[in-house]
Amino acid sequence: MSLYIKETGKSNDETIIFLHGDGIANWMWDKQVESFSDYHCIVIDLPEHGKSADVKPFTIKGTAEMIIDIIKERAHGGKANLVGISLGAQIIVQILSTAPEVVDHALISGTLVRNSQPTETFLELLNHLIKVYLPDKNKTIRIMSYARSYNIPKNLHSKFKESTYIIEPYSLDKIIRENMLFKMPEGLEKANVPVLVMTGEKDYKIINESARNLQKVLPNSKMASAPKSGHMWNMENPELFNNVLRSWLKDKELPHVLTR
């Protein structure tokens, strides 16, 4: 079974591929696809998410290989601009480490990467949190709590709830572990691709630390932060996100409102 793919603007010259965060689906990019009608846009539901729920199993490495194949088959010139937040950004990092030649520009945000193996204490805590969370994952109070923590607009809460329902508990277990244990892949120092490493100003401390580590390793990268914004800031502040992305793709000066 193949991943669910939605394409717009096939006649346009450049391709952008958008990769969503964990527990969500392609709808999180609606405001971006709408704004980038002058590009060939490809939005994808990742394995075990959304309309790709039956594509199993999810792994970051395996999904990166799938996206590389999609770029070679569908992107104009066999090369694409890649945009991802959270889990989607981790997949882009994996692609940059193994096949940077298929990437034109990249924008990654909220990217958790580890430089070392997690401690036994952390693994025990992670196991406990997953065990506590999974039985309650479909409770409205739990879903709305996560939606508020991400500052997802109220008009998108129903879509967030639907995306949560679709993911099976055993699938979510794997997805969370892939996300939380993702380690800095080898080979990034050879990825001479323009990469914008972003965070939201209100993002988690470990995300900001990861961003600094990525910026140090990626040889052709810049780092910036979106003011007054959280983890999923493309939905929270789509106008700013779209302005940043367009400036980055056009090799223009980034908006001055960003902090460096």
Side-chain angles (χ1 to χ4, degrees):
M1 184 170 290
S2 300
L3 294 176
Y4 172 78
I5 295 172
K6 182 169 67 175
E7 290 185 74
T8 60
K10 290 183 181 180
S11 62
N12 295 324
D13 293 335
E14 286 191 59
T15 300
I16 306 175
I17 293 181
F18 296 94
L19 302 179
H20 64 76
D22 59 291
I24 310 186
N26 73 81
W27 54 265
M28 73 170 278
W29 298 113
D30 284 352
K31 288 294 185 180
Q32 281 67 56
V33 173
E34 180 184 314
S35 179
F36 285 83
S37 59
D38 52 332
Y39 281 80
H40 171 218
C41 293
I42 298 176
V43 288
I44 298 167
D45 280 351
L46 301 176
E48 304 200 54
H49 292 77
K51 294 182 180 178
S52 298
D54 292 332
V55 181
K56 301 174 182 179
F58 174 85
T59 65
I60 289 176
K61 288 183 179 180
T63 304
E65 292 172 2
M66 293 180 188
I67 303 303
I68 291 168
D69 288 342
I70 290 171
I71 295 171
K72 292 177 179 179
E73 293 169 4
R74 296 179 180 248
H76 296 328
K79 206 167 189 177
N81 301 293
L82 301 184
V83 181
I85 287 180
S86 194
L87 190 66
Q90 291 173 317
I91 293 166
I92 293 172
V93 170
Q94 185 65 37
I95 292 171
L96 289 170
S97 74
T98 57
E101 69 277 3
V102 303
V103 184
D104 190 333
H105 286 62
L107 187 159
I108 56 176
S109 186
T111 320
L112 172 62
V113 292
R114 295 185 177 277
N115 282 332
S116 61
Q117 293 295 334
T119 64
E120 185 176 336
T121 300
F122 176 82
L123 292 175
E124 289 176 355
L125 178 60
L126 178 61
N127 288 335
H128 173 72
L129 292 175
I130 291 173
K131 184 178 179 180
V132 170
Y133 170 63
L134 290 184
D136 294 341
K137 85 172 189 70
N138 288 342
K139 290 184 177 179
T140 299
I141 189 171
R142 176 78 74 176
I143 295 171
M144 291 303 102
S145 174
Y146 270 90
R148 287 191 294 271
S149 71
Y150 287 153
N151 288 327
I152 294 175
K154 288 184 178 180
N155 65 305
L156 296 177
H157 282 186
S158 61
K159 290 186 176 182
F160 184 72
K161 190 173 184 179
E162 180 183 356
S163 295
T164 300
Y165 283 161
I166 287 172
I167 302 177
E168 297 290 341
Y170 67 88
S171 296
L172 189 56
D173 186 317
K174 290 184 295 181
I175 292 164
I176 292 172
R177 293 181 192 279
E178 284 284 308
N179 172 250
M180 294 299 294
L181 302 176
F182 181 63
K183 191 177 177 183
M184 185 86 74
E186 296 180 1
L188 279 184
E189 69 282 356
K190 299 177 182 178
N192 194 24
V193 173
V195 181
L196 180 58
V197 183
M198 292 288 308
T199 63
E201 185 179 45
K202 298 178 182 179
D203 218 329
Y204 309 106
K205 181 180 178 181
I206 192 171
I207 295 295
N208 286 288
E209 292 172 354
S210 294
R212 288 191 290 271
N213 290 337
L214 282 165
Q215 200 272 328
K216 289 177 183 177
V217 173
L218 290 162
N220 190 8
S221 63
K222 292 183 179 179
M223 181 179 167
S225 181
K228 301 178 182 179
S229 300
H231 194 56
M232 298 287 181
W233 64 284
N234 73 302
M235 292 183 280
E236 186 180 356
N237 194 341
E239 183 177 357
L240 175 61
F241 189 94
N242 295 344
N243 287 340
V244 170
L245 177 56
R246 190 170 290 277
S247 297
W248 183 245
L249 298 184
K250 294 294 185 182
D251 295 314
K252 294 182 178 179
E253 183 70 26
L254 295 173
H256 293 296
V257 69
L258 299 180
T259 56
R260 273 69 172 190

